[in-house]
Amino acid sequence: MSRRKFWTPLYATLRRNLPSKHPYFPASSVFKFPSPTYSFSPPSPSSSPSSPFPSSYDFYSLQNLKFPVRSFCFSTGSEEQSSARCWSCGAVAIAAPFLVCETCRSVQPVDHSVDYFHIFGLEKKYDIEVQNLEGKYKDWQKKLHPDLVHSKSERERGYAAEQSARVIDAYHTLSKPLLRAIYILRLEGVDVDEEETLTDPELLSEILEIREAVEEAADPLALNEIKSQMNEELNHWSNSFATAFRCRKFEEAVNSIRRMTYYERVTEEIVKKL
Amino acid sequence: MAEPAYTVASDGETTGEEKSSSAFPEIAIGIDIGTSQCSVAAWNGSQVELLKNTRNQKMMRSYVTFKDDAPSGGVSNQHTHELEMLSGASIFNMKRLIGRVDTDPVVHASKSLPFLVQTLDIGVRPFIAALVNNVWRSTTPEEVLAIFLVELRAMAEIALKRPIRNVVLTIPVSFSRFQVTRIERACAMAGLHVLRLMPEPTAVALLYAQQQQQTIHENMGSGYEKIALIFNMGAGYSDVAVSATAGGVSQIKALAGSAIGGEDMLQNMMRHLLPDSEIIFSNHGINEIKSMGLLRVATQDAIHKLSFETSVQIDVDLGNGLKICKVVNQEEFQEVNREVFEKCESLIIQCLRDAKIEPDDVTDIIAVGGCSFIPKIKNLIMTTCKRQELYKGINPMEAAVCGAALEGAVASGINDPFGSLDLLTIQVTPLAIGIQADGNNFVPIIPRNTTMPARRELAFTTVHDNQTEALIVVYEGEGKKVEENHLLGYFKLVGIPPAPKGVPDINVCMDIDASDVLRVLAGVVVPGSQQPAIPVMEVRMPTVDDGHGWCAEALHRTFGSRLNLVTVQKKMQQ
Ligand SMILES: [Zn+2]
């Protein structure tokens, strides 16, 4: 059982108490965000490991994966989008996702019902063209990055910081197969417990074997060999995940993620040693 | 007494972030304060222009000469001969000294400079003094830098015919957040507000992004991504950046840097020419300073000539019966500086690896800075990157300051009708930030090369049964052990509910916001509870002052391992 279940992420308790700019700005100025989707109520008991204030900063840190379950009460359909209005000029949103106003170019508050795939204009599926992400990522940053709204209002600078950080996380999450797998599964309401104790004896002994091989590897050549082996495994299990997910066999999908997580960790260890 | 010509504002800690309310945004200027040379540039409405001083110079030596009356720096003043700068009355290499303690090897290497750098080796700021009329007058790197910046500001105000307040400054990649506060303080003392600090190679990356953007505009081609490796080496520091540029946006992929530069090569050569020079000059007497200056000038000339010639004859009478008459060739120069070159190579390799970029995938290799003219440096860059030639579209001496000026215009909200300012640099953290845990290990919480703004959190727990207090000691750097890193600050968590060791969850969260402000949060949760057991601590870093080396020692002596923490992962493995 995971002890991690017990703690609420620190930022969650503090998220909105944190002045985003300077300590001497009154905290109330940060509280003013009149975001329709932002909720400050405590999480329901059933969603204990998740955060009421979904910060998108930490999706690519494996051991810190937390997820805003709350945001999935919303459908990601465009019906809701079409009624959205710009906080600044009042213009009705034309394009979806509505991160920036097309009329006055103001950065909009974060809408957590917009998922990462949506941000990148992608269909919600696991197999995506990762090469195409960077261009879209840069397009968004050019509209959202806090450096570019430096001279604008405190309010908009706050939105820009949040939106930009969210796009960074979306980019990182979608471009890494393991993180993308965990993410897409959670969009389906399936939570992957990272710290779960390993029960599969086969996988357990395999992991121990690989760990030993890494420990004993004498030179970079040997390490690189294990690394490419790990890459093959990662590819294989990534494909298994894709198949399982497509058939909505979530248990199998979780199993693939478990495998990928371990091979990823070994790869990280190797890179540290190289 | 007459009014002092240079007024330095109070040595206050804060820079006072007041917002200008004028309708016209003030365009921030770009300043590149090099260890040896300095330049200023500004957006003139259509392009970036380097500003000149009254003597029509774009590059000015970075130094301040102390005299009986007001001090004067390299912007307004010009020595008729290099030797005058080496009389002991001038302080230079401020950038190498600023924010360092007297146990730092870089400070120790500065003891062979003509002015006084004294160390007690206990982790406090070194004693620095200039010789004025046979009196050692003490000063600080911040004060020297501030005086210099006042001159730069005055020069820019004359050139641009407007008051200057906002600046974008370039800094070395390896600067710690503590060193950054010293730079900001010097700026505040000079009445300048730092709008942004840019790691030097990222300023070059921005200039490159603009050039690529313009080429695309001209050719109407598609904006495909270009990967640039930027190597910047000046007198004091070496920096590397890998950036991915498309459509005017450059995402910094990785940074690497070290306090190694031309000054190290100069000192290695001086030691080569006169092996016990450090002992001979250690007294800093008038005659010794003079000899030291002569040796320095002769060595500088020799290194300069070795950029064009295979060997050079050195002939110098240092006085006091000391004469050097020697022929030095390229091979000797390379052998003497082997470690410097190896370090440069390893920085490039590390940066490429961190960026997850193969040398073959790099579109352009850009070498900038004073040392990029040294043939061996050019060669090692090309060899390491498996390339036959370097990018030619950038002036190696002006690239950083031009990039800073571009950023100044962009950050001031200036729009250019031709899209020349349609630019953005997405920065990463140059150094890892973490805390002391698992003994005296440095456990990074935000790894280096994390895209900013960033927020990361890591779980720790107690090492003793019923441990009710924990010391959170925050460091920045790349070393595995805490003592190899820069101390940023520390605070104590008290009131941890008594529990067996390993039970309380101590969460440490680090947050770097869009203004590059670092905050460290720490909270305690006991299993089974949703709410923090005690109020969460939130500390803006850095909190340390100049005696930070001494500080870490004292903490260790006073608390030992009583208030230590371990990472949760570590605990689970055991
Ligand atoms: Zn609008």
Side-chain angles (χ1 to χ4, degrees):
Chain A
M1 188 186 77
S2 162
R3 65 202 306 277
R4 202 59 48 94
K5 286 254 183 229
F6 291 117
W7 48 265
T8 314
L10 195 53
Y11 66 78
T13 12
L14 281 159
R15 180 71 196 121
R16 287 293 110 205
N17 294 326
L18 245 188
S20 63
K21 286 280 170 187
H22 265 269
Y24 38 83
F25 282 134
S28 60
S29 70
V30 195
F31 267 108
K32 270 186 277 181
F33 295 177
S35 153
T37 51
Y38 244 47
S39 155
F40 295 108
S41 56
S44 57
S46 60
S47 61
S48 65
S50 67
S51 148
F53 313 131
S55 157
S56 34
Y57 284 96
D58 54 344
F59 279 122
Y60 39 99
S61 156
L62 276 180
Q63 72 238 56
N64 284 344
L65 268 162
K66 279 136 205 153
F67 208 81
V69 172
R70 178 168 300 272
S71 60
F72 303 114
C73 321
F74 298 94
S75 80
T76 51
S78 51
E79 316 83 54
E80 276 162 25
Q81 294 296 319
S82 61
S83 61
R85 279 177 180 276
C86 171
W87 63 272
S88 178
C89 72
V92 174
I94 302 162
F98 187 48
L99 275 55
V100 176
C101 172
E102 297 83 357
T103 313
C104 71
R105 302 186 62 161
S106 293
V107 179
Q108 302 299 309
V110 167
D111 175 357
H112 284 279
S113 68
V114 175
D115 68 46
Y116 291 175
F117 292 94
H118 199 179
I119 290 175
F120 279 84
L122 295 165
E123 206 185 312
K124 204 171 78 190
K125 57 174 194 163
Y126 179 71
D127 301 290
I128 56 168
E129 293 290 329
V130 173
Q131 306 91 276
N132 300 340
L133 293 174
E134 181 133 0
K136 187 75 190 162
Y137 162 71
K138 284 181 174 156
D139 284 348
W140 274 130
Q141 291 299 357
K142 250 185 135 161
K143 292 174 185 156
L144 301 170
H145 200 276
D147 280 4
L148 299 178
V149 292
H150 196 270
S151 47
K152 299 219 180 145
S153 68
E154 175 72 11
R155 179 175 173 181
E156 193 175 349
R157 294 212 304 272
Y159 293 156
E162 297 273 321
Q163 288 283 23
S164 166
R166 191 148 191 267
V167 170
I168 291 171
D169 289 335
Y171 172 58
H172 277 270
T173 305
L174 294 187
S175 54
K176 298 202 169 76
L178 174 57
L179 297 185
R180 187 167 71 238
I182 296 171
Y183 181 77
I184 201 165
L185 212 49
R186 288 200 181 166
L187 286 184
E188 295 295 335
V190 182
D191 230 334
V192 184
D193 187 354
E194 296 265 342
E195 299 299 333
E196 182 188 50
T197 316
L198 221 50
T199 46
D200 181 356
E202 193 194 328
L203 177 59
L204 202 63
S205 69
E206 190 192 328
I207 293 297
L208 284 175
E209 237 169 75
I210 300 168
R211 283 255 156 90
E212 234 164 73
V214 173
E215 294 270 298
E216 284 162 13
D219 49 38
L221 208 73
L223 281 172
N224 270 322
E225 200 175 308
I226 307 172
K227 198 174 147 208
S228 62
Q229 225 176 303
M230 290 303 102
N231 268 341
E232 267 172 45
E233 291 284 3
L234 276 169
N235 270 337
H236 170 78
W237 289 101
S238 172
N239 289 334
S240 308
F241 175 86
T243 315
F245 183 76
R246 226 178 291 124
C247 310
R248 300 187 69 80
K249 291 180 182 162
F250 293 149
E251 205 167 312
E252 262 177 53
V254 171
N255 188 42
S256 302
I257 286 179
R258 208 171 285 144
R259 290 268 179 173
M260 287 167 79
T261 307
Y262 276 97
Y263 298 128
E264 193 84 70
R265 280 189 191 159
V266 174
T267 309
E268 271 169 31
E269 264 169 52
I270 294 172
V271 170
K272 264 188 209 160
K273 281 187 80 174
L274 270 171
Chain B
M1 216 181 101
E3 276 276 281
Y6 298 95
T7 42
V8 167
S10 79
D11 189 7
E13 205 50 73
T14 51
T15 54
E17 180 125 346
E18 66 213 46
K19 276 261 157 279
S20 68
S21 53
S22 84
F24 293 102
E26 178 199 332
I27 306 178
I29 60 167
I31 302 181
D32 175 30
I33 306 168
T35 306
S36 135
Q37 282 185 317
C38 168
S39 51
V40 185
W43 176 257
N44 69 6
S46 58
Q47 60 183 9
V48 164
E49 198 177 7
L50 262 79
L51 306 185
K52 291 174 182 170
N53 65 8
T54 47
R55 291 187 313 282
N56 218 24
Q57 292 172 310
K58 290 195 281 190
M59 292 288 161
M60 291 144 286
R61 293 298 300 267
S62 310
Y63 71 89
V64 167
T65 303
F66 287 85
K67 288 174 278 193
D68 270 340
D69 49 356
S72 67
V75 180
S76 64
N77 192 33
Q78 190 176 31
H79 291 300
T80 44
H81 192 275
E82 182 82 13
L83 268 177
E84 271 181 63
M85 200 181 95
L86 304 171
S87 66
S90 302
I91 308 275
F92 51 94
N93 282 10
M94 294 86 91
K95 202 166 141 191
R96 289 262 278 193
L97 291 164
I98 200 159
R100 290 187 193 274
V101 290
D102 65 356
T103 43
D104 193 317
V106 177
V107 172
H108 278 252
S110 304
K111 284 175 162 181
S112 66
L113 299 173
F115 57 90
L116 199 62
V117 178
Q118 233 177 40
T119 63
L120 296 172
D121 304 340
I122 55 166
V124 293
R125 64 156 51 186
F127 178 81
I128 291 163
L131 190 62
V132 185
N133 292 332
N134 217 15
V135 172
W136 284 112
R137 212 205 111 176
S138 82
T139 181
T140 62
E142 290 90 331
E143 186 184 47
V144 176
L145 189 58
I147 294 166
F148 189 76
L149 284 166
V150 166
E151 285 203 352
L152 275 183
R153 181 183 175 190
M155 170 199 135
E157 288 181 343
I158 291 167
L160 297 171
K161 299 181 186 70
R162 64 173 169 93
I164 303 291
R165 177 160 161 77
N166 291 339
V167 293
V168 172
L169 237 65
T170 60
I171 48 164
V173 168
S174 57
F175 257 27
S176 73
R177 281 175 178 269
F178 174 70
Q179 284 173 298
V180 165
T181 65
R182 301 299 93 176
I183 294 279
E184 282 170 338
R185 190 163 183 182
C187 285
M189 285 162 80
L192 294 170
H193 171 239
V194 179
L195 192 58
R196 201 148 298 164
L197 289 163
M198 288 186 101
E200 275 153 37
T202 70
V204 181
L206 183 63
L207 181 64
Y208 174 77
Q210 192 211 29
Q211 291 184 347
Q212 298 314 308
Q213 179 80 325
Q214 282 174 339
T215 335
I216 292 159
H217 276 288
E218 280 156 24
N219 301 337
M220 298 303 284
S222 64
Y224 73 93
E225 186 174 82
K226 290 192 171 174
I227 310 280
L229 179 132
I230 296 135
F231 181 85
N232 170 43
M233 189 178 191
Y237 295 89
S238 295
D239 297 320
V240 193
V242 171
S243 78
T245 297
V249 181
S250 60
Q251 165 76 50
I252 304 302
K253 292 274 181 186
L255 294 172
S258 169
I260 199 158
E263 178 67 29
D264 297 285
M265 292 193 232
L266 179 64
Q267 287 184 9
N268 290 341
M269 276 297 271
M270 279 164 63
R271 221 172 294 126
H272 177 64
L273 293 169
L274 187 65
D276 28 338
S277 55
E278 269 148 69
I279 302 159
I280 297 169
F281 299 146
S282 62
N283 282 338
H284 271 80
I286 305 272
N287 289 332
E288 282 134 18
I289 291 172
K290 206 171 169 190
S291 308
M292 207 190 273
L294 288 164
L295 178 62
R296 207 178 157 88
V297 170
T299 314
Q300 242 161 20
D301 285 348
I303 294 176
H304 186 69
K305 281 183 188 145
L306 282 173
S307 291
F308 314 102
E309 292 158 32
T310 50
S311 74
V312 59
Q313 166 83 37
I314 297 164
D315 234 326
V316 58
D317 185 348
L318 302 178
N320 304 329
L322 273 174
K323 272 187 189 157
I324 292 171
C325 186
K326 206 169 180 175
V327 176
V328 179
N329 60 29
Q330 278 280 355
E331 286 74 44
E332 262 174 288
F333 172 71
Q334 287 173 23
E335 184 50 36
V336 166
N337 291 304
R338 196 156 45 94
E339 278 179 27
V340 174
F341 298 130
E342 280 171 2
K343 183 71 196 174
C344 293
E345 211 176 291
S346 75
L347 285 177
I348 297 173
I349 293 169
Q350 181 198 317
C351 197
L352 282 168
R353 185 188 291 168
D354 283 359
K356 298 188 177 70
I357 296 280
E358 294 297 322
D360 293 335
D361 299 328
V362 178
T363 321
D364 287 304
I365 316 274
I366 305 166
V368 296
C371 291
S372 65
F373 293 104
I374 295 170
K376 173 70 189 171
I377 293 286
K378 276 190 199 163
N379 281 336
L380 82 84
I381 300 170
M382 290 191 283
T383 315
T384 315
C385 298
K386 300 181 178 120
R387 215 44 74 88
Q388 302 300 316
E389 59 173 7
L390 301 171
Y391 184 70
K392 292 195 181 70
I394 273 181
N395 178 328
M397 299 309 288
E398 299 175 359
V401 74
C402 289
L406 276 177
E407 179 73 19
V410 173
S412 305
I414 309 298
N415 277 311
D416 177 62
F418 302 102
S420 299
L421 293 177
D422 227 356
L423 302 168
L424 171 67
T425 312
I426 305 169
Q427 298 280 3
V428 296
T429 50
L431 299 168
I433 307 166
I435 68 165
Q436 173 175 356
D438 305 335
N440 67 335
N441 283 322
F442 170 63
V443 178
I445 294 178
I446 298 183
R448 74 159 177 250
N449 295 323
T450 301
T451 302
M452 294 193 282
R455 171 176 297 164
R456 297 295 163 89
E457 193 170 321
L458 209 58
F460 298 86
T461 189
T462 50
V463 284
H464 304 291
D465 289 335
N466 298 322
Q467 182 180 337
T468 56
E469 300 187 340
L471 204 55
I472 310 285
V473 193
V474 180
Y475 287 90
E476 184 181 34
E478 296 310 318
K480 285 200 166 66
K481 299 285 170 200
V482 288
E483 56 268 23
E484 300 160 42
N485 300 291
H486 305 275
L487 177 68
L488 293 184
Y490 45 86
F491 56 92
K492 200 164 76 171
L493 270 179
V494 295
I496 302 169
K501 65 180 173 189
V503 170
D505 260 320
I506 296 164
N507 279 10
V508 181
C509 172
M510 297 203 171
D511 177 273
I512 301 170
D513 69 13
S515 317
D516 197 24
V517 172
L518 169 69
R519 280 190 187 76
V520 178
L521 298 104
V524 183
V525 178
V526 177
S529 162
Q530 275 290 311
Q531 290 307 310
I534 50 170
V536 171
M537 302 277 285
E538 180 198 322
V539 184
R540 187 177 166 165
M541 295 277 166
T543 59
V544 288
D545 214 323
D546 289 305
H548 56 282
W550 182 80
C551 222
E553 276 282 304
L555 283 174
H556 187 72
R557 241 194 341 264
T558 312
F559 296 106
S561 69
R562 270 194 298 134
L563 308 185
N564 276 12
L565 289 175
V566 287
T567 47
V568 166
Q569 274 173 310
K570 182 94 173 184
K571 194 195 109 193
M572 294 180 102
Q573 277 165 20
Q574 282 164 355

